[in-house]
Amino acid sequence: MAIANKFRLRREHKTATVELASLNREMALRMIALANETGEVTPLIEAVQAMRTAEGLYSPDTAQIEDARVQKKLGDVLLNIGKNEGDMSAIEAAISAYRGAITIASMLGAHTLRAQTRKSYALAMNYAGKGQRHQSVSLMGAA
């Protein structure tokens, strides 16, 4: 009886986790729509925060690729806003969104999405002044 109860509770927990993550994704999508209607960046940043909050709920069997795609798209939009308007808060939010997308894509083995997102992440890091700088040594300097 106790074992059956334990499995039932695990199943209920998994279902609740999936529903909660889905609600966070839905809230993020509504924030994106709000930002689209108002032209404000704040709802997009809040959408990233909602998606990142949901990450604490994920496990390999509950994570959904759609969450990674939403975060990648959020990152892309925020990076463009940050570049075009010089908005560092948008770039920082893009970095956060990309990190989330990379985590989920890695968890699910979505290698193509992960690779694409890593490139975008590196670009955002460069715009934020946090990118890796490769210093090449010239032949003259090495001699």
Side-chain angles (χ1 to χ4, degrees), residues 14-32:
K14 181 178 176 181
T15 300
T17 298
V18 169
E19 288 176 19
L20 188 53
S22 178
L23 288 171
N24 275 309
R25 183 176 57 248
E26 180 64 28
M27 183 171 64
L29 292 172
R30 289 178 188 233
M31 298 296 261
I32 293 168

Side-chain angles (χ1 to χ4, degrees), residues 25 28-29 32 44 47-49 51-52 55 58 64-81 83 90-91 93-106 110-124:
R25 183 176 57 248
L29 292 172
I32 293 168
L44 294 173
V48 170
Q49 293 168 345
M51 294 299 294
R52 293 301 306 250
E55 279 181 43
Y58 296 141
Q64 296 182 11
I65 195 65
E66 187 59 28
D67 291 341
R69 288 185 185 120
V70 168
Q71 288 196 48
K72 166 86 168 71
K73 288 180 183 180
L74 271 169
D76 293 344
V77 170
L78 285 162
L79 179 57
N80 283 330
I81 290 169
K83 289 188 317 187
I91 292 174
I95 290 169
S96 181
Y98 289 140
R99 282 184 185 143
I102 292 166
T103 299
I104 297 167
S106 296
H111 303 296
T112 302
L113 179 60
R114 181 177 181 268
Q116 293 168 345
T117 307
R118 285 179 55 90
K119 288 178 185 176
S120 299
Y121 172 77
L123 183 62

